[in-house]
């Protein structure tokens, strides 16, 4: 039986997290001697980008009623075409709200935030992130089928080109009565959740008038900007930039934290980043314990100097 995977797209264009989920599904399929079937809703991207990561079959759901995201309707749509006993979702905001609904519809086990290939397939057992990234656990599925969400940047995107096929499935799901009251876009040019590099700043910046240097550093690094919770609470930065336990959870390749103390609630949203650089004037700031690289210094001196150095390096 094929290993299924849900490939999320934004306005029809596949996310990097979708390729990571397909790569993960391919690893399970290889373990099980199976194939990979991708489910996608209203994509505009070519399925070739999915074949590259090991998708043998792509089911493209076409449904005008699913133009706007609704977890319930999307779960219904996926439920219509998912006929296997294993499905992989990326651990994105949207996909991780579809997965539990599908788990209820199918009466399957749900294991979120998985980090590695399964340790065992029958019963399905896998290592997952727990306690907001402060620990790990080994979870075992106890139902006939299993739904997993893959923690972003944990498994990685792995090319595994195959000759795949595509089928179109026309559906007409009745969209539920969910109303979108507000949909705040990130103010930056780059989508924070998708960005490979993020420059983030906290209360150490003293005021919103000082964010020019953060934006300039982000500009030379090709980074998105983020901030700590109090910074968005006081209105220095938009809420769309707030990262942490109660904000966005991100997992870029590089996270640069400027004037942020590193409270546990902040770390909960950023500690999946591959490399963390902390710039803080207090050598005792807790963030240094989680940093790969640390600079003890005044941000008002370090950031302009760093930006100039990077500009010079880039020629
Ligand atoms: P501060 O703690 O005030 O730290 C400022 C830092 O800047 C200090 O380390 C200081 O040494 C440094 N600094 C000062 N001047 C300079 C300078 N010139 N150069 C360099 N460094 C300097 N927080 C989040 O961020 N995200 C969340 O999702 C979140 N959720 C929460 C949920 C709950 C239920 C609770 C109770 C709290 C939550 N918090 C969250 C708040 C969190 O506990 C911290 O209060 C917050 O992260 C602190 O923000 P900060 O680091 O910007 O500010």
């Amino acid at each position: 039986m094929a290993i299924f995977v849900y490939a999320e797209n934004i306005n029809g264009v596949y996310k990097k997290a979708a390729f990571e989920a397909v790569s993960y599904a391919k690893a399970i399929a290889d373990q099980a001697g199976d194939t990979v079937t991708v489910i996608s809703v209203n994509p505009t991207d070519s399925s070739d980008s999915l074949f590259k990561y090991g998708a043998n079959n792509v089911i493209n759901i076409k449904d005008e009623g699913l133009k706007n995201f609704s977890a319930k309707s999307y779960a219904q749509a996926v439920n219509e075409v998912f006929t296997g006993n294993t499905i992989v979702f990326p651990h994105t905001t949207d996909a991780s709200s579809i997965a539990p609904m599908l788990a209820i519809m199918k009466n399957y086990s749900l294991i979120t935030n998985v980090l590695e290939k399964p340790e065992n397939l029958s019963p399905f057992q896998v290592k997952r992130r727990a306690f907001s990234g402060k620990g790990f656990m080994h979870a075992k599925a106890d139902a006939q089928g299993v739904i997993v969400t893959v923690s972003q940047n944990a498994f990685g995107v792995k090319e595994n080109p195959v000759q795949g096929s595509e089928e179109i499935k026309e559906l007409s799901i009745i969209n539920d009565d969910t109303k979108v009251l507000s949909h705040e876009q990130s103010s930056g040019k780059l989508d924070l959740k998708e960005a490979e590099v993020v420059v983030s700043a906290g209360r150490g910046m003293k005021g919103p008038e000082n964010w020019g240097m953060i934006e300039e550093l982000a500009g030379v690094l090709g980074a998105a900007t983020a901030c700590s919770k109090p910074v968005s609470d006081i209105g220095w930065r938009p809420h769309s930039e707030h990262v942490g336990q109660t904000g966005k959870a991100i997992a870029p390749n590089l996270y640069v934290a400027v004037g942020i103390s590193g409270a546990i609630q902040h770390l909960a949203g950023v500690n999946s980043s591959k490399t963390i650089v902390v710039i803080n004037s207090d050598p005792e700031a807790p963030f240094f314990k989680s940093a790969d690289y640390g600079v003890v210094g005044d941000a008002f001196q370090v950031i302009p100097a760093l930006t100039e150095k990077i500009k010079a390096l880039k020629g």
Side-chain angles (χ1 to χ4, degrees):
M1 206 178 286
I3 306 300
F4 281 72
V5 50
Y6 172 76
E8 184 171 333
N9 64 64
I10 314 177
N11 299 326
V13 179
Y14 290 117
K15 288 182 159 189
K16 182 184 147 205
F19 301 138
E20 187 172 23
V22 175
S23 306
Y24 187 84
K26 170 71 177 157
I28 303 180
D30 285 349
Q31 220 170 323
D34 254 323
T35 55
V36 174
T37 295
V38 173
I39 299 174
S40 179
V41 178
N42 294 330
T44 51
D45 250 2
S46 154
S47 294
D48 290 347
S49 57
L50 301 169
F51 301 149
K52 193 167 141 193
Y53 299 100
N56 302 93
N57 182 30
V58 177
I59 303 173
N60 282 334
I61 295 173
K62 298 278 176 211
D63 188 342
E64 280 295 302
L66 299 177
K67 262 196 166 152
N68 293 322
F69 179 76
S70 140
K72 194 169 151 197
S73 310
Y74 271 53
Q76 278 169 5
V78 173
N79 192 28
E80 296 251 340
V81 292
F82 168 42
T83 50
N85 55 21
T86 308
I87 184 165
V88 177
F89 284 83
H91 195 83
T92 55
T93 310
D94 287 357
S96 55
S97 57
I98 304 171
M101 292 200 181
L102 185 66
I104 289 167
M105 289 170 185
K106 289 275 184 217
N107 202 14
Y108 281 2
S109 294
L110 172 70
I111 305 181
T112 58
N113 257 317
V114 306
L115 295 166
E116 293 173 0
K117 273 200 318 193
E119 291 145 4
N120 196 26
L121 290 178
S122 183
F124 193 97
Q125 183 175 311
V126 68
K127 185 175 176 184
R128 67 175 290 270
R129 195 184 299 286
F131 305 114
S132 301
K134 293 297 276 180
F136 307 111
M137 65 178 279
H138 299 267
K140 196 192 283 183
D142 59 3
Q144 269 216 324
V146 65
I147 295 171
V148 296
T149 69
V150 186
S151 188
Q152 287 188 64
N153 260 344
F155 186 75
V157 171
K158 295 181 182 156
E159 286 192 21
N160 249 313
V162 294
Q163 197 78 38
S165 62
E166 179 189 280
E167 61 184 280
I168 310 283
K169 190 96 185 161
E170 305 267 357
L171 292 183
S172 43
I173 302 285
I174 310 288
N175 212 330
D176 65 7
D177 52 6
T178 308
K179 298 265 182 301
V180 180
L181 296 179
S182 82
H183 191 203
E184 196 184 353
Q185 289 288 344
S186 302
S187 60
K189 293 185 195 88
L190 285 164
D191 179 358
L192 179 53
K193 295 273 280 182
E194 290 292 301
E196 300 283 353
V197 182
V198 173
V199 177
S200 185
R203 246 184 333 207
M205 292 311 295
K206 322 283 188 221
E209 66 281 5
N210 296 323
W211 244 263
M213 68 175 95
I214 297 298
E215 281 171 344
E216 202 182 344
L217 176 60
V220 294
L221 288 172
T225 48
C227 68
S228 65
K229 181 175 185 294
V231 161
S232 67
D233 285 350
I234 350 167
W236 292 359
R237 297 298 289 176
H239 280 289
S240 55
E241 287 195 2
H242 159 202
V243 290
Q245 186 184 318
T246 47
K248 286 182 179 151
I250 56 170
N253 285 332
L254 175 63
Y255 183 71
V256 183
V258 187
I260 301 177
S261 56
I264 187 167
Q265 297 89 356
H266 184 85
L267 291 175
V270 303
N271 60 7
S272 299
S273 308
K274 266 207 181 118
T275 303
I276 297 179
V277 176
V278 170
I279 299 165
N280 198 301
S281 53
D282 176 7
E284 300 298 322
F287 218 149
F288 283 121
K289 290 200 183 110
S290 310
D292 297 285
Y293 300 94
V295 180
V296 179
D298 181 354
F300 293 85
Q301 289 173 1
V302 175
I303 298 302
L306 182 61
T307 307
E308 284 316 309
K309 202 75 186 165
I310 296 168
K311 273 187 191 162
L313 274 174
K314 285 187 151 183

